Amino acid sequence: MISPFRRCIAIVATVAVCLGGAAVAGAAPVSFSTVPVSGWSTNGPVRAVLIVGDTVYAGGDFTQVRGPGGSPVVNRARLAAWDIRTGALRTGFAADANGRVSALASDGSRLFVGGDFTSIKGVSRSRLAAVDPVSGNVNTAWSANATAIVYGLRVAGTRLYAAGAFKKVGASTRNGIAAVATANGAVDATFNPNANAAVHAVTTSPDGATVYLAGDFTTGGTSSRQIGRAHV
């Protein structure tokens, strides 16, 4: 029996083309298996997963990752990376965080990390950081410290949207949602929906013109209790 996903990373060899439990008309039948491919696991909950190219990143509350069958055991604090094709641990990637990692995003050249940490790979970063996707080294030219946990991240063009329970990002007052530059973390002065409670998720329309938010708020952007949108 597979332990719940909150406790492990599992690759399941499952491919299906369906909608509402029924096959899509005209779709070719695809065989699949629900048996997991033997792979690595973690010793604590996984909160975020992101695929960038041929690498899959996982963030959460774990402190170790374990190979198939439980060996080898490798120390990785709350953030790790694997080869998406072989499942092998990316041993060259290390970006240990001292607190929960709950959100991941990327613009292709940087891996953005959000959560409840105050340092990552020994560098002071409060709940938001940018790291090199190959080595995990912190981008020291990028800074956007948040005052409380970051729950969600979304990249759209040259902007990184961050959602959470914070009240400030950098030196700017931002309640629950902020936009910062992907290049350096500078807060976007033109975007401030000002949610009145935590924002737990953020996404954008395909053209990036509208930002969608979900959380505990009742006002913020154009809201309809716990879900809202903000125009860019």
Side-chain angles (χ1 to χ4, degrees):
M1 181 177 180
I2 307 168
S3 57
F5 183 68
R6 60 183 287 272
R7 281 288 177 189
C8 69
I9 295 289
I11 302 173
V12 181
T14 304
V15 181
V17 181
C18 60
L19 180 64
V24 176
V30 179
S31 60
F32 66 94
S33 171
T34 57
V35 178
V37 175
S38 178
W40 288 69
S41 62
T42 67
N43 69 338
V46 172
R47 308 288 183 182
V49 175
L50 178 71
I51 294 173
V52 181
D54 60 359
T55 301
V56 57
Y57 300 90
D61 291 313
F62 54 86
T63 56
Q64 294 178 335
V65 295
R66 299 167 178 168
S71 179
V73 175
V74 181
N75 291 330
R76 285 292 186 275
R78 303 171 185 88
L79 185 57
W82 291 264
D83 185 297
I84 196 171
R85 295 183 178 88
T86 67
L89 182 71
R90 296 287 195 197
T91 56
F93 178 88
D96 291 350
N98 71 343
R100 173 180 296 177
V101 171
S102 51
L104 298 168
S106 178
D107 64 354
S109 60
R110 288 165 283 251
L111 177 67
F112 301 107
V113 185
D116 205 20
F117 51 86
T118 55
S119 73
I120 189 163
K121 206 165 186 175
V123 179
S124 178
R125 285 292 184 274
S126 294
R127 304 169 186 91
L128 270 173
V131 305
D132 182 87
V134 176
S135 66
N137 291 338
V138 175
N139 184 335
T140 55
W142 196 96
S143 180
N145 294 321
T147 55
I149 189 169
V150 171
Y151 291 119
L153 295 172
R154 172 74 173 186
V155 170
T158 59
R159 284 176 167 175
L160 171 69
Y161 295 96
F166 49 81
K167 299 295 184 184
K168 292 182 72 174
V169 174
S172 302
T173 298
R174 289 293 185 274
N175 290 310
I177 180 71
V180 302
T182 55
N184 56 19
V187 176
D188 189 330
T190 67
F191 182 82
N192 187 13
N194 194 30
N196 69 341
V199 178
H200 290 274
V202 57
T203 192
T204 63
S205 57
D207 63 2
T210 304
V211 180
Y212 297 92
L213 317 173
D216 299 327
F217 58 87
T218 56
T219 62
T222 304
S223 66
S224 179
R225 192 170 183 84
Q226 288 88 43
I227 188 165
R229 64 180 181 176
H231 294 290
V232 176

